């Protein structure tokens, strides 16, 4: 593809007016680079990624969450602690009962053989990633050749999603002081029980406030509520 055409495709991402439109265009860009699946998450845990921002199989994401693979995923760990790209590959010859070995073995079953993950950082300190994956082992050597293109795609996709978030800012989201307190402590990594101890309220009340916050922000779960509140500058870390 001609360089100017590739640039136009990336520019189109910035003009998307919906998450569905962005997903369609981003998927086209990913496939033209020779990758099959992708996931974008402005959240340390990729399970917080909206369905409109990934083509990783839903079954894999459910298994990932159920097995607690976030704790052993070396790709996510790299993106949380580094600014440099991560080239990753599952080893089909790996043997053993280790949790990480099992993680990669099961990823292979969902067509996630090799890929590139790019760390991303939001304007309010959020950390996330774009990860693209290929299913064909014969194409794994193409990872490095596409590194620059994937990095360029990551920057455009990241900017496009932040613009969508800004445009879709609700006219009036009012979080109570207690809801903001709970979200701030949750963003700091505290459990509901720990937040309750800090604020002098019950764990059940903390869960109630966090659920209310998520409902007001139009998201599901505390991770998405934290990311959404930060993007709207309702809380900061």
């Amino acid at each position: 593809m001609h360089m100017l055409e590739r640039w136009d495709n990336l520019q189109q991402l910035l003009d998307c007016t919906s998450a569905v439109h962005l997903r369609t265009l981003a998927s086209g860009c990913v496939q033209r680079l020779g990758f099959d699946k992708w996931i974008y998450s402005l959240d340390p845990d990729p399970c917080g990624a909206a369905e409109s921002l990934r083509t990783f199989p839903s079954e894999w994401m459910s298994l990932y969450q159920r097995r607690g693979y976030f704790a052993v995923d070396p790709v996510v760990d790299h993106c949380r602690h580094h600014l440099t790209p991560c080239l990753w590959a599952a080893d089909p010859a790996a043997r053993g009962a280790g949790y990480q070995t099992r993680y990669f073995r099961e990823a292979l079953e969902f067509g996630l053989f090799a890929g590139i993950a790019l760390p991303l950082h939001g304007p309010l300190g959020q950390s996330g990633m774009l990860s693209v994956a290929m299913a064909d082992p014969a194409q794994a050597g193409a990872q490095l050749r596409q590194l620059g293109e994937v990095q360029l795609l990551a920057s455009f996709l990241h900017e496009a999603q932040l613009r969508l978030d800004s445009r879709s800012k609700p006219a009036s989201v009012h979080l109570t002081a207690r809801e903001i307190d709970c979200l701030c402590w949750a963003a700091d990594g505290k459990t509901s029980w720990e937040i309750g101890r800090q604020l002098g309220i019950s764990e059940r009340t903390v869960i109630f406030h966090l659920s209310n916050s998520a409902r007001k922000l139009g998201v599901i779960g505390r991770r998405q509520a934290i990311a959404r509140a930060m993007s709207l500058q309702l809380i900061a870390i």
Side-chain angles (χ1 to χ4, degrees), residues 146-197:
Q146 298 292 5
L147 179 56
E149 296 280 0
V150 175
Q151 201 150 23
L152 193 59
L153 171 61
S155 63
F156 273 86
L157 178 59
H158 193 34
E159 173 74 15
Q161 179 57 32
L162 292 176
R163 289 190 184 187
L164 276 180
D165 274 347
S166 176
R167 285 199 292 267
S168 62
K169 181 176 180 179
S172 58
V173 173
H174 174 70
L175 299 180
T176 66
R178 188 59 88 194
E179 287 166 350
I180 290 174
D181 287 341
C182 290
L183 279 174
C184 286
W185 283 113
D188 198 42
K190 303 298 184 185
T191 65
S192 296
W193 181 82
E194 290 171 328
I195 296 170
R197 289 290 298 272

Side-chain angles (χ1 to χ4, degrees), residues 22-23 26 30 37-56 61 118-123 126-132 153-165 227 231:
L22 180 59
R23 183 180 191 266
V30 168
K37 305 292 182 184
W38 63 276
I39 183 170
Y40 165 95
S41 173
L42 196 54
D43 187 309
D45 186 345
C47 287
E51 285 194 26
S52 58
L53 295 174
R54 62 173 170 83
T55 60
F56 273 33
M61 299 306 301
L118 282 301
L120 298 170
H121 299 277
Q126 310 100 310
S127 62
M129 68 175 187
L130 169 68
S131 184
V132 296
L153 171 61
S155 63
F156 273 86
L157 178 59
H158 193 34
E159 173 74 15
Q161 179 57 32
L162 292 176
R163 289 190 184 187
L164 276 180
D165 274 347
S231 71

Side-chain angles (χ1 to χ4, degrees), residues 175-215 221-223 225-226:
L175 299 180
T176 66
R178 188 59 88 194
E179 287 166 350
I180 290 174
D181 287 341
C182 290
L183 279 174
C184 286
W185 283 113
D188 198 42
K190 303 298 184 185
T191 65
S192 296
W193 181 82
E194 290 171 328
I195 296 170
R197 289 290 298 272
Q198 187 70 34
L199 298 178
I201 57 180
S202 70
E203 180 180 8
R204 184 175 180 178
T205 301
V206 172
I207 294 171
F208 171 78
H209 286 312
L210 291 173
S211 296
N212 260 358
S213 300
R215 177 182 56 78
R222 73 174 62 192
R223 286 192 297 266
I226 292 166

